[in-house]
Amino acid sequence: MGMNITHDTIAVRVRERPTELIVGLITTLFLADLLLKLQGTTVLLFDTHILGGSIGLSELFTYVLDGLIVGIAVGLAGIGLSMTYSILNFANFAHGEYLTSGAFVGFSTAAVIAGGSGIVDRMLLQSNPGLELLSTPIALTAGLIMAAISTIGLALLLDRLVYKPMRDAEGISLLIASIGVALLVRYSIAFIWQTGRYGVTGSATKVTILNLVTLTTHELTLLVLGVMSMIGVAIMLEFTKLGTAMRAMADNESLARVSGIPVEQVTRLTWIVGGGLTGIAGYLFVLESGTIAFNFGWINLLLIFSAVILGGIGSVYGAMVGGVLIGLVDKLAQVWIPSDLTRAAVFVVLIAVLIVRPTGLFGGVKTA
Amino acid sequence: MSEAPDAPATEPVLAVDSLKKQFGGITAVEDVSFDIQPGSLTGLIGPNGAGKSTTFNCISGTLAPTSGSVHFQGAEITDAPPHVVAEHGLFRTFQIARELEEMTVLENLLLAPPDQRGESLVHAVTPGLRQRVKEQERELLERAWELLERFELDHLAREYAGSLSGGQRKLLELARALMAEPSMVLLDEPLAGVNPTLETQLLEALHELREEGYTFLLVEHDMNVIMNHCDPIIVMHQGSILTVGTADDIRSNERVIEAYLGGDQ
Amino acid sequence: MSTSDFRSRLTGLPDALYVFGLMAGLYAVFTGLTVLLNFELSGIVNTLRAITYFSAVYAMVVLALNLHWGYTGLFNLGVAGFMAVGVYTMAIVSGPTNPGPAEIPGLGMNLWVGVVAGVVMAALVGVLASLPALRLEADYLAIVTLALSEIIRLVLNSTLLQEVTVGGATFGTGGATGLTVQNNPQTPVTAFFQSGPGSALTDVAMGIGIDRPTVVEGIGYAIVLVVIVGLLFVFIRRIATSPFGRVLKAIREDQVVASALGKDTRQFKIIIFGVGCGLMGLAGILWYGSDGYINPLSFRPNITFYVFVALIIGGAGSNTGSIIGGSIFASVLFYLPQFLEQNSTPVLDGIQSVLGGSTATPQTIIDAGGALAGLDLTAFLAYCFANISSLRFIGVGLILIYLMQRRPDGLFGHRIETAASIPLTRGDTNE
Ligand SMILES: Nc1ncnc2c1ncn2[C@@H]1O[C@H](COP(=O)(O)OP(=O)(O)OP(=O)(O)O)[C@@H](O)[C@H]1O
Ligand SMILES: [Mg+2]
């Protein structure tokens, strides 16, 4: 229900959208509190600590940086989800498994290429191959490529076997089927690689940029590749025929069909683009965190959903912005609550967004 | 707004005043005002896209009007949610029949009556009270069978509504609304897809019911039906009311003819 | 004509027969298995007790979920969270005020007060969640409820409420370490068999070779659960076969129509959300509470999905199907793999005696593949047994996909279970 309110005074807006006002107020309150804390001021009312406190600038800076890194990873992981959500019209609960499988195949490949003894152990990641960007660049690159290719393969295979026979089914049936797919893939990975959590990287070199920020090479890779992929997708959607076709399908599938868009082909290409990006995202996720386990994609699925919904389902820019915001919430929430509850804070934000503005920040702007 | 010179002086059952509905930039309905007299079978006609269904949606609460007001039996129902409008005794059918597909035809009918005891969870599950629920259900069931016979749907009573044909769905939709014994029903093309014999029977039934005191507002594209059965007739065009009058008035009205024969003005 | 004939005869069968038939079948299969594995009588009986227990607890949750998804079309993925609210509330309210050292005290109230509080709290959380969430479409509702369930788990897991003192009373969730539930629904059953009138039964059982008192107590508890499932079934069937249930179905089919017919759909949805969540809380209490120990890890979203799969196997919308789906999932997909894993040594020995080969478990999938290539099926199976918990979910995933593609109605979902309190026959013509 996109309404075009044109000549609205602020007063009218406030009356019509009281919830947005509340959200705005709460956000302002948090920001004000943050500023006070930075200043080291405490505001007391009747001897109770209301606002402020203290927090170091460098501490805050670390939170923001961490948030950005997580955010880019989540945003990148969200693009594929957002695409399938808007174009194929269902919430893919197996999306996390695409991340996991990409990462496992990618790192197994990288571990084998990096060489050394015990190829089986390396393939199954039983011993830490100690991958590092500067010492094993070729292995890591090959792994990245395999992550993308294998995930595309998996996405196409699953589409052929599971979703294609259900093209006419309702979104909710597809959603339930995708839960089945999630179980199938996650536990197939567990059957092959077992259920341990494995370290895959060596200690990454630290680089300092402009005397300002210190990042590991792996974090830097995540940031650079993440942003590059996002720009690539944006260009593809804006300037290619495929992008136009995808936007048309997201808007109205039957209309797209009658206006001669090869719907089945676009669907396949959506899985290819989405799957490739998701494989890469999973790989970079693990590169940054250094460890891998059969359920990491599943555990992060709700975080990715939060990003996509916050940004607005179907909006690729939304997924990116949503990812960064979610990453920031996840890290910055530590300023106020115990760190074991930041994830809960993210989900509170998710619920709030769905209730206040289910179309998300970029909602209505489909797919691009 | 009735222009008929011999407009009865009774209180209108439905009064629509300056109704307006915009969808984004499109204005679907603008400055629509009319009164409906109790016990009438009023026709509402107009070319495709004239705004008839949108008017229905605004009256029945399915859509919130942008501005204007709706009164039913003296009570304001503007902006009231659909179930409140229905509680007032104003029911509607949908242009594209909306059956509750995985419910049987009988279940569809039994759903409609208001104030069912068993709609309270406590009554539904408590042993003593459930007995009274059953009593009421028995009465309703009897009426449901009568209606099904009237609409020749009795042989389908236990089938899922989803397995009905297009015409049968229309009939079920009408029967369902009547099951609630409302004071007034808004009928959005109830005859589309219904075979001629049944159509005649249906119209007869509408007249009988009208004489019993029901009020109907009927949207229909078949001019013969409108001209022969409805009085008065409201004509809409491009979101506004073109004219209101008897069949003869309408037949001789040039603007109506023009509106139907095309011509953008 | 003949198929519908057959079908009407099927529907004519009392539904209890299906359930008894299924349980009899399951008992037969598991008795056969345990006898093959040379179990003693108490082991055999205990296995049957276990499948009864798991079938009953699953049936309860599935029945509750069926009210939401099967009847009203509300896609509630928060089942785990609502169960957690129920059992944690019960544990806190009826936990002793002065427990053993290093344990978290509770509010020291009566067990039944705790149970009621747990159910009410779960219902309340459900109602509160439903107020905003029910405006959302199915897939968004799914995500919101899933997120809510995770929030609940994360809060229970956090140090924040591990142990708090409010108005002089100290209690808490125990955080990640969890909570001992000394006073739980099994306690009175145990007391009945240990010192109450049931001790005579225990003696009889001992006499015929069921030589572990815990088995007897367990059987007693399982029977209590079965009775509760029966009561729950009657309760939910009353809801289903009433004008109230009719409105729920109408909401599932088309909300716009339901409200155009004068039904305040929002109110119905809130009520049923609360009732269903309360029942989930009850199921959480009877299920996890009886373990004597609760921990946030038990309430991960996985459990919600298992319940969903069970519902879809049975057929969303059918109460009999809910019980059957719950039993099948619990016994065959949940308990059987676990049972085989626990008994993998004798099972593998048995396989080896038929097929030859080696029972040494291959360490990796590659070794297992090598064994298979070398036609050592036993070694390959040994790897499968070691990873049976993964295999079982591969199976569950495949079943779910199959059902959604070929049989979205599950086993019983196609049946017309009419929502009316009386048989809908015609008064004048006797059919
Ligand atoms: N939900 C909506 N969003 C945007 N435009 C709408 C919507 N519903 C109706 N309209 C527009 O409003 C106008 C009036 O439509 P309406 O359905 O009321 O016409 P109608 O008179 O019932 O036509 P018909 O005889 O074809 O049923 C049309 O131009 C239609 O496109
Ligand atoms: Mg219309």
Side-chain angles (χ1 to χ4, degrees):
Chain A
M1 285 239 153
M3 280 209 188
N4 254 335
I5 300 160
T6 36
H7 311 290
D8 272 359
T9 61
I10 290 177
V12 170
R13 274 190 184 225
V14 168
R15 214 177 322 125
E16 286 186 345
R17 299 243 159 103
T19 31
E20 286 189 4
L21 180 77
I22 294 169
V23 171
L25 279 178
I26 292 175
T27 317
T28 319
L29 198 66
F30 273 112
L31 286 178
D33 185 52
L34 192 60
L35 285 176
L36 287 171
K37 281 196 165 80
L38 275 175
Q39 253 199 331
T41 320
T42 305
V43 179
L44 298 175
L45 190 68
F46 302 121
D47 282 344
T48 6
H49 185 159
I50 298 285
L51 286 179
S54 77
I55 183 178
L57 190 60
S58 65
E59 195 185 344
L60 183 67
F61 196 71
T62 315
Y63 289 156
V64 171
L65 197 62
D66 285 354
L68 270 180
I69 292 165
V70 173
I72 295 281
V74 170
L76 188 60
I79 295 176
L81 181 63
S82 188
M83 278 182 170
T84 44
Y85 208 149
S86 63
I87 293 168
L88 309 174
N89 275 320
F90 76 102
N92 184 4
F93 270 66
H95 187 75
E97 276 57 44
Y98 292 44
L99 291 167
T100 317
S101 80
F104 264 102
V105 174
F107 276 100
S108 292
T109 309
V112 169
I113 290 180
S117 59
I119 187 161
V120 167
D121 270 5
R122 287 181 162 269
M123 211 145 88
L124 297 174
L125 302 173
Q126 299 299 304
S127 57
N128 189 338
L131 297 159
E132 202 273 326
L133 187 68
L134 299 182
S135 53
T136 56
I138 295 173
L140 276 178
T141 313
L144 181 77
I145 294 169
M146 271 311 285
I149 293 177
S150 65
T151 313
I152 291 173
L154 179 72
L156 288 177
L157 181 73
L158 288 171
D159 183 56
R160 179 70 199 74
L161 296 179
V162 180
Y163 303 120
K164 194 167 181 215
M166 299 179 71
R167 282 282 190 261
D168 297 328
E170 283 175 37
I172 214 76
S173 307
L174 288 162
L175 188 161
I176 298 174
S178 79
I179 294 174
V181 171
L183 288 168
L184 172 65
V185 175
R186 183 171 356 131
Y187 287 98
S188 297
I189 291 171
F191 189 68
I192 297 171
W193 277 277
Q194 315 266 349
T195 53
R197 171 173 285 279
Y198 313 114
V200 288
T201 57
S203 63
T205 320
K206 286 203 161 59
V207 279
T208 306
I209 304 163
L210 298 175
N211 271 333
L212 205 71
V213 211
T214 306
L215 289 170
T216 69
T217 45
H218 295 164
E219 289 166 340
L220 201 62
T221 313
L222 168 67
L223 288 179
V224 171
L225 285 182
V227 171
M228 272 171 48
S229 313
M230 290 177 181
I231 294 174
V233 175
I235 290 175
M236 184 211 75
L237 285 172
E238 295 281 359
F239 299 110
T240 65
K241 253 180 153 170
L242 174 63
T244 319
M246 280 163 93
R247 289 210 307 264
M249 264 182 78
D251 248 7
N252 184 335
E253 195 192 312
S254 41
L255 195 64
R257 195 182 292 274
V258 294
S259 50
I261 288 173
V263 167
E264 198 52 38
Q265 207 177 326
V266 175
T267 302
R268 214 161 30 238
L269 286 167
T270 305
W271 282 115
I272 290 177
V273 176
L277 282 171
T278 309
I280 291 173
Y283 188 77
L284 294 177
F285 233 100
V286 171
L287 180 69
E288 193 267 325
S289 71
T291 61
I292 190 169
F294 79 104
N295 58 358
F296 90 85
W298 171 245
I299 287 174
N300 285 298
L301 179 66
L302 207 48
L303 196 67
I304 299 165
F305 262 120
S306 308
V308 169
I309 288 170
L310 176 60
I313 284 174
S315 158
V316 168
Y317 303 130
M320 303 172 194
V321 176
V324 171
L325 287 177
I326 287 292
L328 288 175
V329 171
D330 193 34
K331 296 298 169 190
L332 273 176
Q334 292 176 68
V335 175
W336 295 278
I337 55 176
S339 61
D340 60 3
L341 272 180
T342 58
R343 212 30 93 77
V346 171
F347 299 151
V348 170
V349 169
L350 163 70
I351 293 179
V353 171
L354 273 178
I355 288 160
V356 178
R357 199 180 155 93
T359 47
L361 296 176
F362 289 67
V365 196
K366 291 267 180 154
T367 307
Chain B
M1 272 284 289
S2 174
E3 289 170 17
D6 57 344
T10 48
E11 271 286 296
V13 57
L14 178 71
V16 175
D17 190 31
S18 317
L19 198 68
K20 178 175 175 177
K21 178 68 193 177
Q22 288 182 317
F23 294 108
I26 310 165
T27 304
V29 168
E30 178 143 42
D31 196 27
V32 164
S33 307
F34 56 82
D35 289 349
I36 303 287
Q37 299 304 325
S40 72
L41 172 51
T42 308
L44 176 59
I45 58 170
N48 292 119
K52 306 179 295 290
S53 298
T54 306
T55 305
F56 270 23
N57 286 336
C58 289
I59 297 173
S60 64
T62 314
L63 289 175
T66 311
S67 65
S69 73
V70 184
H71 285 79
F72 183 69
Q73 293 177 331
E76 166 138 26
I77 54 164
T78 326
D79 293 327
H83 71 269
V84 173
V85 175
E87 278 163 15
H88 275 89
L90 175 55
F91 274 62
R92 57 95 44 99
T93 66
F94 292 89
Q95 176 171 3
I96 298 163
R98 300 179 80 146
E99 290 335 308
L100 304 164
E101 300 204 349
E102 289 197 12
M103 291 174 74
T104 64
V105 168
L106 263 174
E107 281 178 304
N108 263 274
L109 285 192
L110 288 174
L111 179 70
D115 302 323
Q116 296 188 42
R117 286 180 199 136
E119 279 175 12
S120 129
L121 182 59
V122 176
H123 276 77
V125 298
T126 315
L129 298 174
R130 198 174 159 84
Q131 214 44 49
R132 302 187 32 216
V133 172
K134 287 185 183 172
E135 276 164 32
Q136 194 186 28
E137 292 248 275
R138 261 178 225 117
E139 288 160 25
L140 295 179
L141 184 63
E142 211 164 295
R143 204 165 76 243
W145 278 113
E146 277 168 29
L147 273 168
L148 286 180
E149 260 161 51
R150 189 171 207 165
F151 290 98
E152 296 184 7
L153 289 171
D154 44 341
H155 59 295
L156 298 166
R158 285 193 195 78
E159 300 296 322
Y160 274 149
S163 62
L164 265 53
S165 75
Q168 289 168 335
R169 285 171 190 230
K170 287 275 174 187
L171 295 174
L172 174 57
E173 183 126 354
L174 179 56
R176 197 172 58 190
L178 294 177
M179 188 69 197
E181 302 191 304
S183 333
M184 176 170 180
V185 190
L186 309 174
L187 300 163
D188 201 346
E189 303 190 24
L191 303 175
V194 174
N195 81 61
T197 333
L198 204 51
E199 179 177 309
T200 317
Q201 285 176 18
L202 253 173
L203 286 163
E204 275 168 23
L206 285 185
H207 279 296
E208 277 170 32
L209 290 162
R210 187 177 58 75
E211 273 150 30
E212 287 169 26
Y214 284 89
T215 311
F216 296 101
L217 178 58
L218 173 70
V219 169
E220 181 52 54
H221 282 295
D222 184 338
M223 280 302 169
N224 284 329
V225 169
I226 290 285
M227 295 298 171
N228 295 333
H229 295 271
C230 296
D231 182 38
I233 298 164
I234 303 170
V235 186
M236 282 186 77
H237 181 47
Q238 294 183 349
S240 307
I241 293 193
L242 203 60
T243 182
V244 181
T246 62
D248 288 337
D249 298 341
I250 303 296
R251 230 175 254 130
S252 55
N253 188 316
E254 287 189 7
R255 287 165 65 209
V256 175
I257 297 167
E258 205 174 296
Y260 269 92
L261 294 181
D264 274 351
Q265 252 54 60
Chain C
M1 213 46 207
S2 69
T3 49
S4 75
D5 237 31
F6 175 66
R7 217 182 235 188
S8 70
R9 203 172 302 158
L10 257 187
T11 33
L13 271 178
D15 282 4
L17 278 188
Y18 288 114
V19 179
F20 288 135
L22 175 71
M23 287 321 286
L26 288 172
Y27 287 154
V29 170
F30 276 89
T31 309
L33 267 177
T34 42
V35 168
L36 272 179
L37 288 168
N38 286 324
F39 274 37
E40 290 176 359
L41 183 61
S42 67
I44 297 173
V45 174
N46 195 34
T47 305
L48 302 187
R49 175 208 62 85
I51 56 172
T52 315
Y53 166 80
F54 282 116
S55 297
V57 288
Y58 263 95
M60 267 184 241
V61 202
V62 176
L63 277 170
L65 184 63
N66 189 37
L67 274 181
H68 287 167
W69 173 235
Y71 268 88
T72 327
L74 296 172
F75 206 96
N76 177 6
L77 286 187
V79 179
F82 295 113
M83 289 203 290
V85 170
V87 69
Y88 266 90
T89 308
M90 186 277 288
I92 289 170
V93 170
S94 49
T97 43
N98 50 350
E103 275 181 16
I104 314 261
L107 299 179
M109 290 197 221
N110 181 292
L111 172 66
W112 305 115
V113 176
V115 171
V116 172
V119 174
V120 170
M121 189 60 117
L124 219 58
V125 173
V127 167
L128 282 182
S130 75
L131 289 178
L134 290 179
R135 291 191 326 212
L136 301 170
E137 285 175 29
D139 48 352
Y140 280 7
L141 180 67
I143 293 168
V144 164
T145 46
L146 183 58
L148 177 72
S149 141
E150 280 293 88
I151 292 173
I152 291 170
R153 183 178 67 84
L154 290 165
V155 169
L156 292 173
N157 194 57
S158 133
T159 48
L160 195 67
L161 300 176
Q162 190 164 5
E163 188 162 5
V164 292
T165 304
V166 181
T170 301
F171 56 91
T173 61
T177 10
L179 213 53
T180 310
V181 195
Q182 282 182 9
N183 209 3
N184 70 54
Q186 175 139 27
T187 326
V189 178
T190 307
F192 176 82
F193 283 104
Q194 277 178 0
S195 47
S199 51
L201 284 174
T202 314
D203 295 340
V204 173
M206 297 288 210
I208 58 167
I210 304 172
D211 48 7
R212 281 181 291 163
T214 49
V215 173
V216 182
E217 291 150 20
I219 294 171
Y221 189 61
I223 292 172
V224 170
L225 290 185
V226 169
V227 171
I228 295 176
V229 171
L231 294 175
L232 200 60
F233 180 79
V234 172
F235 174 73
I236 288 179
R237 237 179 79 102
R238 289 202 157 184
I239 296 181
T241 57
S242 76
F244 183 87
R246 206 148 60 213
V247 177
L248 297 185
K249 263 184 162 181
I251 291 173
R252 177 191 72 194
E253 293 298 312
D254 190 336
Q255 261 191 82
V256 177
V257 171
S259 60
L261 291 173
K263 314 302 173 194
D264 185 352
T265 53
R266 200 177 136 77
Q267 189 192 328
F268 282 92
K269 285 199 284 186
I270 291 172
I271 293 176
I272 205 59
F273 211 72
V275 170
C277 291
L279 293 178
M280 286 168 191
L282 177 68
I285 292 170
L286 295 171
W287 180 352
Y288 291 96
S290 65
D291 289 346
Y293 167 74
I294 48 176
N295 162 334
L297 280 179
S298 312
F299 302 100
R300 283 180 293 189
N302 278 5
I303 198 78
T304 302
F305 290 107
Y306 304 161
V307 175
F308 242 99
V309 175
L311 175 59
I312 288 166
I313 291 175
S318 164
N319 291 315
T320 308
S322 299
I323 293 186
I324 301 238
S327 306
I328 292 180
F329 185 90
S331 313
V332 182
L333 294 168
F334 181 82
Y335 184 73
L336 180 62
Q338 190 175 311
F339 175 83
L340 289 176
E341 190 178 21
Q342 281 160 3
N343 296 288
S344 59
T345 316
V347 173
L348 279 172
D349 286 344
I351 291 172
Q352 189 192 29
S353 67
V354 179
L355 296 176
S358 139
T359 57
T361 309
Q363 283 309 300
T364 65
I365 180 85
I366 309 272
D367 296 345
L372 192 61
L375 295 178
D376 184 351
L377 202 57
T378 311
F380 180 74
L381 286 175
Y383 183 81
C384 291
F385 274 107
N387 290 281
I388 204 159
S389 53
S390 297
L391 279 180
R392 113 174 113 184
F393 291 118
I394 294 175
V396 171
L398 287 172
I399 290 173
L400 196 52
I401 295 167
Y402 170 81
L403 286 174
M404 290 323 288
Q405 284 187 345
R406 301 286 170 78
R407 268 198 87 118
D409 283 335
L411 293 172
F412 284 81
H414 64 274
R415 295 205 315 184
I416 300 183
E417 294 185 4
T418 315
S421 61
I422 49 169
L424 297 183
T425 45
R426 225 161 173 158
D428 45 6
T429 54
N430 274 327
E431 290 189 273

